[in-house]
């Protein structure tokens, strides 16, 4: 089985990266943080026009007609750029909620544990709910993921596996981006007359970050091809770990600079924390994997 992207898939990824670099670069990201506006309706419509949300919708229904392997590639790029908003929910709502495929509607979901919903105040619909529920704003760690507490949840069970995989792809993109940020800073920052990247401790940190990100990326690509429940759960586990730990190690490479508001490292870390709680948590993924292993082993041992 070949997990290498095809020429068309690489072109798709490059096209999405180019779109996001031109439309949502660092200046736009920081402007979003400063204004507190997480969902840019103009960008949302541009993503819809580029087929981001309708990527897996059949061509006969106005979509692009591609599959999960292509979806994880474009979501990886969105994670790399830290594009805020309910990207996964709107993508899953294409063909279900009017306007989702075209990006004219913003759709969120009951994808967080407990009674929290992200981006409720900016959404036109909630996946799994007949109408927008009322919600009470609560303080969020990520400045670009506003949260609301709602009294009643809807059912998103059928969407969880794909939602978890696409969220894992976002995490992989962030993990790969923090590798780039760490390596670049290690080559620029000097101590004792040489770049800090020349020091063994920094080299080890950067190497560990790269290994984490690439292992997670491989797991996500494999799960997109096989579609197995266990593979998806493992991909989410590895991607969450890569995104969170890479952001922490990137902060370590940056030293005191990494703790400042002006650096982007904290934005990757905060978003990774939130995504780790979306669609499928580590505990839920571990339970699913344990159940699969138990089932493959023939069930629990007999008592006696």
């Amino acid at each position: 089985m070949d997990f290498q992207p095809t020429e068309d898939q690489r072109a798709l990824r490059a096209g999405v990266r180019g779109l996001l670099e031109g439309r949502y670069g660092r200046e736009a990201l920081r402007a979003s943080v400063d204004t507190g506006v997480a969902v840019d309706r103009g960008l949302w419509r541009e993503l819809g026009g580029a087929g981001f949300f309708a990527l897996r919708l059949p061509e006969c229904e106005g979509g692009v007609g591609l599959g999960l392997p292509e979806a994880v590639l474009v979501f990886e790029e969105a994670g790399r750029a830290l594009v805020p908003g309910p990207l996964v929910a709107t993508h899953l709502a294409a063909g279900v909620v009017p306007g989702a495929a075209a990006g004219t509607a913003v759709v969120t979901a009951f994808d967080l544990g407990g009674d929290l919903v992200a981006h409720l105040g900016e959404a036109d619909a909630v996946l799994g709910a007949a109408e927008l529920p009322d919600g009470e704003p609560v303080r969020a760690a990520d400045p670009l993921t506003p949260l609301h507490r709602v009294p009643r949840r809807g059912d998103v069970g059928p969407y969880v596996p794909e939602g978890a995989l696409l969220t894992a792809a976002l995490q992989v993109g962030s993990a790969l981006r923090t590798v780039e940020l760490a390596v670049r800073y290690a080559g620029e920052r000097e101590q004792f007359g040489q770049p800090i990247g020349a020091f063994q401790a920094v080299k080890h940190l950067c190497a560990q970050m790269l290994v984490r990100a690439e292992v997670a990326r491989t797991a996500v690509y494999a799960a997109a091809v096989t579609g197995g429940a266990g593979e998806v759960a493992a991909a989410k586990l590895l991607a969450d770990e890569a995104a969170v730990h890479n952001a922490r190690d990137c902060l370590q490479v940056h030293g005191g600079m990494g703790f400042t508001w002006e650096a982007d490292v904290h934005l990757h870390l905060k978003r990774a924390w939130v995504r780790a709680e979306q669609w499928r948590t580590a505990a839920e993924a571990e339970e699913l994997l344990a159940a699969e292993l138990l089932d493959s082993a023939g069930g629990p041992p007999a008592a006696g």
Side-chain angles (χ1 to χ4, degrees), residues 7-18:
E7 184 176 344
D8 287 343
Q9 289 171 336
R10 288 194 292 269
L12 173 65
R13 178 167 57 191
V16 173
R17 179 174 295 194

Side-chain angles (χ1 to χ4, degrees), residues 99-150:
T104 56
V106 175
V107 184
T108 187
F110 298 97
D111 56 358
L112 284 160
D115 55 358
L116 296 177
V117 177
H119 301 286
L120 181 62
E122 301 161 301
D124 300 303
V126 179
L127 196 61
E131 57 185 22
L132 276 173
D134 294 326
E136 176 189 354
V138 297
R139 192 170 183 178
D142 178 13
L144 293 180
T145 308
L147 300 176
H148 283 75
R149 180 169 286 110
V150 295

Side-chain angles (χ1 to χ4, degrees), residues 56 68 88 91-92 158-167 232 279:
R56 295 188 301 126
L68 269 176
V88 173
H91 177 91
L92 294 175
Y159 301 101
V160 168
E162 291 180 353
L165 183 59
L166 295 175
T167 304
V232 172
W279 293 105

Side-chain angles (χ1 to χ4, degrees), residues 16-111:
V16 173
R17 179 174 295 194
L19 168 65
L20 293 176
E21 286 178 345
R23 186 60 177 79
Y24 200 77
R26 186 178 186 276
E27 289 185 5
L29 171 64
R30 299 306 305 207
S32 296
V33 173
D34 292 339
T35 61
V37 177
V39 177
D40 179 341
R41 291 277 180 162
L43 173 61
W44 217 253
R45 288 190 294 271
E46 286 185 46
L47 289 174
F52 188 96
F53 301 118
L55 191 71
R56 295 188 301 126
L57 201 62
E59 292 184 60
C60 61
E61 297 179 26
V64 183
L66 298 178
L68 269 176
E70 289 78 22
V72 299
L73 293 177
V74 301
F75 271 80
E76 179 186 316
E77 291 304 316
R80 181 180 180 275
L82 269 187
V83 178
L87 296 165
V88 173
T90 303
H91 177 91
L92 294 175
V96 177
V97 176
T104 56
V106 175
V107 184
T108 187
F110 298 97
D111 56 358

Side-chain angles (χ1 to χ4, degrees), residues 175-263:
L176 289 165
R177 179 58 178 158
T178 50
V179 173
E180 295 173 4
L181 293 174
V183 170
R184 185 176 68 189
Y185 188 80
E188 295 172 350
R189 178 75 167 91
E190 292 190 359
Q191 279 189 338
F192 308 110
Q194 60 182 325
I196 61 171
F199 301 122
Q200 193 173 47
V202 176
K203 289 180 182 179
H204 284 175
L205 274 178
C206 292
Q208 289 167 358
M209 290 173 67
L210 179 61
V211 169
R212 276 195 214 104
E214 290 296 343
V215 168
R217 176 154 66 171
T218 300
V220 168
Y221 287 4
V225 172
T226 65
E231 284 85 353
V232 172
K236 183 64 162 58
L237 272 174
L238 289 168
D240 288 342
E241 179 185 18
V244 172
H245 285 275
N246 274 18
R248 288 175 174 169
D249 283 352
C250 183
L251 191 151
Q252 183 76 13
V253 170
H254 279 70
M257 178 63 185
F259 286 91
T260 64
W261 183 259
E262 289 74 19

